Amino acid sequence: MELVSRETESILRQYCALLLKWQEKINLISPTTTKDAWARHFKDSLQLLPYLPESGHLYDLGAGAGFPGLVLAIVRPELEITLVEADSKKCAFLQTVSRETGARVHILNARIEAAVQSEPPPDILTARALAGLSELLNYATPWIAANPALTALFPKGVSYRTELDAAKAAGWVFDLDDWPSKTDPAARILRLQNIRKTN
């Protein structure tokens, strides 16, 4: 894996082993992806690395099994990373991975609606397979208002164009950069900056 060192890949493989072990007891990822978990979840998360700033506080909304936030925390320890997850069992898994791999993350067991009221705005916001673009921006509205420099970095699937159109129709305006996914030719990585709402 060209994006990470051999030592870091070894830590990520340890994380993958924990994922498959816990998956037998609680549903962390889609069962259809367990056989190819490394490519479907780890490599997919690592795609965000080239588009991250050198420093800052990143929030991963609906972190689930830690994709992409916990993967990024292992590879980029200089970033401050908060994983926002409402499911306490998934938070227990995230705590276990963090403890066993030495990943420095803050795990917030809370609903997103509560987190936006209690937590300071991040510099970078990400979410994977959580909700449509409009819904994600609606969730983040208080943070966007408090930090106009906030950058949103979202991996999106085949419907990314429809999601972009829906967000614009809902009054969201932003500067957009997008790149093709390396793990799914129909998917894209979206980076939104200067995010604001016109109505």
Side-chain angles (χ1 to χ4, degrees):
M1 186 182 301
E2 68 281 359
L3 287 173
V4 301
S5 68
R6 188 175 298 177
E7 181 183 0
T8 301
E9 182 174 345
S10 177
I11 295 169
L12 291 172
R13 294 279 184 188
Q14 181 185 2
Y15 175 3
C16 188
L18 285 166
L19 173 74
L20 296 177
K21 181 180 176 182
W22 277 63
Q23 178 71 12
E24 294 173 5
K25 296 178 182 177
I26 66 171
N27 191 40
L28 293 165
I29 57 174
S30 169
T32 61
T33 66
T34 53
K35 287 185 178 180
D36 200 20
W38 183 251
R40 292 288 296 273
H41 301 291
F42 290 86
K43 284 188 173 181
D44 195 55
S45 296
L46 289 168
Q47 290 192 92
L48 300 188
L49 285 173
Y51 314 117
L52 292 174
E54 290 185 12
S55 62
H57 194 164
L58 179 147
Y59 287 8
D60 182 7
L61 301 184
F67 307 114
L70 189 48
V71 170
L72 299 177
I74 290 169
V75 183
R76 292 286 305 275
E78 70 278 10
L79 291 177
E80 186 178 354
I81 294 183
T82 296
L83 308 178
V84 181
E85 175 52 54
D87 186 311
S88 58
K89 289 181 180 178
K90 290 177 181 176
C91 285
F93 168 73
L94 296 171
Q95 292 281 9
T96 299
V97 176
S98 173
R99 183 178 65 249
E100 297 202 14
T101 63
R104 291 175 47 247
V105 289
H106 174 55
I107 297 162
L108 183 63
N109 187 190
R111 292 181 61 80
I112 298 167
E113 296 90 338
V116 295
Q117 301 301 327
S118 66
E119 302 300 308
D123 303 298
I124 315 137
L125 190 66
T126 191
R128 180 175 178 265
L130 175 67
L133 185 58
S134 281
E135 190 176 351
L136 291 170
L137 295 176
N138 288 338
Y139 277 138
T141 296
W143 286 332
I144 292 167
N147 179 16
L150 183 150
T151 294
L153 194 59
F154 298 133
K156 284 291 176 185
V158 65
S159 63
Y160 74 94
R161 289 186 191 279
T162 303
E163 292 189 32
L164 284 167
D165 290 344
K168 290 172 183 175
W172 287 104
V173 178
F174 40 79
D175 296 338
L176 175 69
D177 294 300
D178 68 291
W179 300 274
S181 167
K182 293 177 181 176
T183 57
D184 180 354
R188 305 290 283 188
I189 295 166
L190 308 182
R191 182 172 66 190
L192 281 57
Q193 295 175 305
N194 297 316
I195 307 165
R196 57 210 182 276
K197 200 168 188 191
T198 57
N199 57 32

